[in-house]
Amino acid sequence: MKNYKLTIAYDGTRYRGWQSQGNTEQTIQGKLQALFSRLAGRETEVHGSGRTDAGVHARGQVANVKLDTAMTCQELKEYCNHYLPEDIGILDVTEAPERFHARLNAKTKCYVYRIWNSSEPCIFERRYVTRIPQPLDAEAMERAAGYLTGTHDFRSFCGLRRFKKSTVRTIYSIDIRRIGQELRITYVGNGFLNLMVRILTGTLVEVGLGQRPPESMPEVLAALDRDAAGKTMPPTGLCLEYVTY
Amino acid sequence: MKNYKLTIAYDGTRYRGWQSQGNTEQTIQGKLQALFSRLAGRETEVHGSGRTDAGVHARGQVANVKLDTAMTCQELKEYCNHYLPEDIGILDVTEAPERFHARLNAKTKCYVYRIWNSSEPCIFERRYVTRIPQPLDAEAMERAAGYLTGTHDFRSFCGLRRFKKSTVRTIYSIDIRRIGQELRITYVGNGFLNLMVRILTGTLVEVGLGQRPPESMPEVLAALDRDAAGKTMPPTGLCLEYVTY
């Protein structure tokens, strides 16, 4: 039995998120588990680095799966890509140490939130951006982001109100940049709570629209209350870029 | 009555091509004509620079439409983008001289054919490329392209076998370049026959696969017979980039 580390890309548009939900197969984990279970001839679990929500994309999700197969990593990758739907792809398969676990061993994660900040139509990338036609003050957003980086209790930015475990996380960097008509926000951290990136982005967008001052961020953090932060942004603009170990 | 020049982008995936087909609205021209007819309160024709086939995309299709409206060009553009589906967008509206006709006055057109030349999955751009996993010899394709540029009778590359009009066209340039895992072919010419870009690309691909020598291109042209050229490539990879006047 070998432990394989998989790097996975998917267009989340058609899916109800990463996490398998009983019988429904319209999840990324469900599609992968069905594939590997068929290959292994027994129920096979795939462990992701974390869940992505319905509609969220990934360019570098990581998962591990234990399999007994004579295939090489390259053959396994080709086998998967042959049978997976065209909106899920395996970018890389490597053999990992027996104890490697994609979620428990994850060190940093990078998420990108893409805002189409223009009233111009966005035809070809429309499934991968969220549209905000009003002008956004990127400089104010950057100042706000400065308060949010570092180690904090992010309870105000957690989508689960009764979350029992620690809500302390470290954000190493929040990069905000314009690329043509797009405003792209890149988050790197040691882990993110439920909906955290979308709530962070919603709060930064409210700063960018002049609805909150950047200097109010410490209060928002200190409130430890979801109601103190901004709206949850839609999943469309969000993508899990990579996970490091 | 003013004559408006429209620059239009569309994702052709869901459409049966540019040209309106009687009652069916699942065409780009049909969508635009329905929109302007509603606005004008009478049947209004939209003249495109040329047809694009079912599944073909455009980043810079040009059309003209005669309208009697008090709206400014900017207002007209916003009105259109408000009512058009999310896979069709108006990039620009300008007032044109009364005699301007998008098809009759077109001077050059640029088409891009995108080949995903890799066995790796292509998740996010999958609707805009055609996949050819086998290695393509770009250098041989460039040599073949050299024979095809210039003014020629392109009857061998015309999808309509009994085409009555002149099949002489001028191709100013064919640029072939690798961009990551993609092989991108850019055609600029004074006009293209029915399916011509897809047949040219199919022929170049056969050269790239070693199935035809580059030096056979003059014979293919001289045959004046569709059967002498290569296969018609799928529409997915094709995009009308721009039209000049």
Side-chain angles (χ1 to χ4, degrees):
Chain A
M1 196 81 117
K2 285 175 186 164
N3 191 12
Y4 293 95
K5 178 186 173 198
L6 316 170
T7 308
I8 308 155
Y10 45 85
D11 175 342
T13 310
R14 291 199 307 140
Y15 295 94
R16 302 178 63 176
W18 167 266
Q19 198 182 27
S20 174
Q21 300 170 0
N23 287 337
T24 162
E25 262 231 341
Q26 218 36 39
T27 64
I28 322 294
Q29 191 187 28
K31 289 284 179 198
L32 291 168
Q33 290 186 165
L35 177 77
F36 290 119
S37 298
R38 215 156 45 226
L39 176 67
R42 56 173 184 78
E43 263 202 42
T44 301
E45 213 182 328
V46 174
H47 303 278
S49 75
R51 308 169 190 176
T52 54
D53 294 315
V56 173
H57 316 293
R59 289 181 187 269
Q61 169 70 291
V62 174
N64 72 293
V65 60
K66 295 192 175 179
L67 283 176
D68 201 1
T69 168
M71 283 193 244
T72 64
C73 288
Q74 181 60 27
E75 285 165 350
L76 194 55
K77 174 179 154 181
E78 283 164 17
Y79 174 89
C80 292
N81 285 328
H82 183 76
Y83 288 106
L84 285 169
E86 59 168 15
D87 49 8
I88 305 178
I90 306 290
L91 304 181
D92 195 43
V93 176
T94 55
E95 226 185 292
E98 196 197 322
R99 293 174 59 90
F100 173 77
H101 189 287
R103 181 168 55 79
L104 301 175
N105 299 150
K107 264 201 188 143
T108 66
K109 281 187 188 174
C110 174
Y111 277 96
V112 167
Y113 200 98
R114 296 175 62 186
I115 297 168
W116 185 253
N117 188 25
S118 167
S119 58
E120 297 293 310
C122 175
I123 303 298
F124 299 98
E125 299 280 288
R126 66 189 187 278
R127 290 186 182 81
Y128 314 124
V129 298
T130 293
R131 303 170 59 101
I132 299 182
Q134 301 93 319
L136 288 169
D137 180 347
E139 198 267 323
M141 293 168 74
E142 273 176 18
R143 272 187 292 137
Y147 292 102
L148 299 170
T149 51
T151 303
H152 301 287
D153 188 333
F154 285 99
R155 185 162 293 272
S156 296
F157 296 91
C158 179
L160 296 169
R161 283 171 192 269
R162 284 158 214 278
F163 194 65
K164 292 278 170 54
K165 299 182 204 162
S166 167
T167 43
V168 174
R169 295 290 184 278
T170 302
I171 299 183
Y172 302 117
S173 65
I174 303 177
D175 177 77
I176 301 177
R177 67 180 62 213
R178 289 205 180 274
I179 300 169
Q181 297 173 96
E182 186 181 325
L183 191 77
R184 191 175 292 191
I185 311 180
T186 305
Y187 300 86
V188 179
N190 68 352
F192 293 90
L193 302 162
N194 181 269
L195 298 180
M196 179 167 155
V197 180
R198 290 159 61 185
I199 301 171
L200 285 167
T201 306
T203 309
L204 291 176
V205 162
E206 290 175 14
V207 170
L209 293 170
Q211 297 167 357
R212 291 173 182 264
E215 297 70 30
S216 66
M217 292 302 110
E219 281 166 54
V220 176
L221 282 165
L224 301 177
D225 177 0
R226 171 67 189 88
D227 294 334
K231 289 199 191 75
T232 305
M233 290 284 281
T236 340
L238 185 58
C239 184
L240 172 56
E241 287 290 310
Y242 61 79
V243 187
T244 69
Y245 292 90
Chain B
M1 197 82 116
K2 285 175 185 164
N3 191 11
Y4 292 95
K5 179 185 173 199
L6 315 170
T7 308
I8 308 155
Y10 45 85
D11 175 342
T13 309
R14 291 198 308 138
Y15 296 94
R16 301 176 66 177
W18 167 266
Q19 199 183 25
S20 173
Q21 299 171 359
N23 287 338
T24 161
E25 261 230 341
Q26 216 37 40
T27 64
I28 322 295
Q29 192 189 26
K31 290 284 179 199
L32 291 168
Q33 291 187 164
L35 178 75
F36 290 118
S37 299
R38 218 159 39 228
L39 176 67
R42 57 170 184 78
E43 264 203 43
T44 301
E45 213 181 329
V46 175
H47 303 277
S49 75
R51 307 169 190 177
T52 53
D53 293 315
V56 173
H57 315 293
R59 289 179 187 270
Q61 169 70 291
V62 174
N64 71 294
V65 61
K66 294 192 175 178
L67 283 176
D68 201 2
T69 168
M71 281 193 244
T72 64
C73 288
Q74 181 60 26
E75 285 166 350
L76 193 56
K77 174 179 153 181
E78 283 166 17
Y79 175 89
C80 292
N81 285 328
H82 183 75
Y83 287 107
L84 284 170
E86 59 169 14
D87 48 8
I88 304 178
I90 306 290
L91 304 182
D92 195 42
V93 176
T94 55
E95 225 184 293
E98 197 197 322
R99 292 173 59 89
F100 173 76
H101 189 288
R103 181 168 54 79
L104 300 175
N105 299 150
K107 264 201 187 140
T108 65
K109 281 187 188 173
C110 174
Y111 278 97
V112 167
Y113 201 98
R114 295 175 62 186
I115 297 168
W116 185 252
N117 189 25
S118 167
S119 58
E120 296 295 309
C122 176
I123 303 299
F124 299 98
E125 298 281 287
R126 66 189 187 279
R127 290 185 182 83
Y128 314 124
V129 298
T130 293
R131 303 171 60 98
I132 299 182
Q134 301 94 318
L136 288 169
D137 181 347
E139 198 266 321
M141 293 169 74
E142 272 176 18
R143 272 188 291 137
Y147 292 103
L148 298 170
T149 51
T151 303
H152 301 287
D153 187 335
F154 283 100
R155 184 162 294 272
S156 296
F157 296 91
C158 179
L160 297 169
R161 284 172 193 268
R162 283 160 217 278
F163 192 64
K164 292 277 168 56
K165 298 181 205 164
S166 167
T167 43
V168 174
R169 295 289 184 278
T170 303
I171 299 183
Y172 301 117
S173 64
I174 304 177
D175 177 76
I176 301 176
R177 65 180 62 214
R178 289 205 179 273
I179 300 171
Q181 296 173 96
E182 185 181 326
L183 191 77
R184 191 176 291 191
I185 312 180
T186 305
Y187 299 87
V188 179
N190 67 353
F192 294 90
L193 302 162
N194 182 269
L195 298 180
M196 181 166 153
V197 179
R198 290 159 60 186
I199 301 171
L200 284 166
T201 307
T203 309
L204 291 176
V205 162
E206 290 175 14
V207 170
L209 292 169
Q211 295 166 358
R212 291 173 182 264
E215 297 71 29
S216 66
M217 291 302 111
E219 281 166 53
V220 176
L221 283 165
L224 300 177
D225 177 2
R226 169 69 188 90
D227 293 335
K231 289 199 192 76
T232 305
M233 290 284 281
T236 340
L238 185 59
C239 183
L240 173 56
E241 287 290 310
Y242 62 79
V243 186
T244 69
Y245 291 91

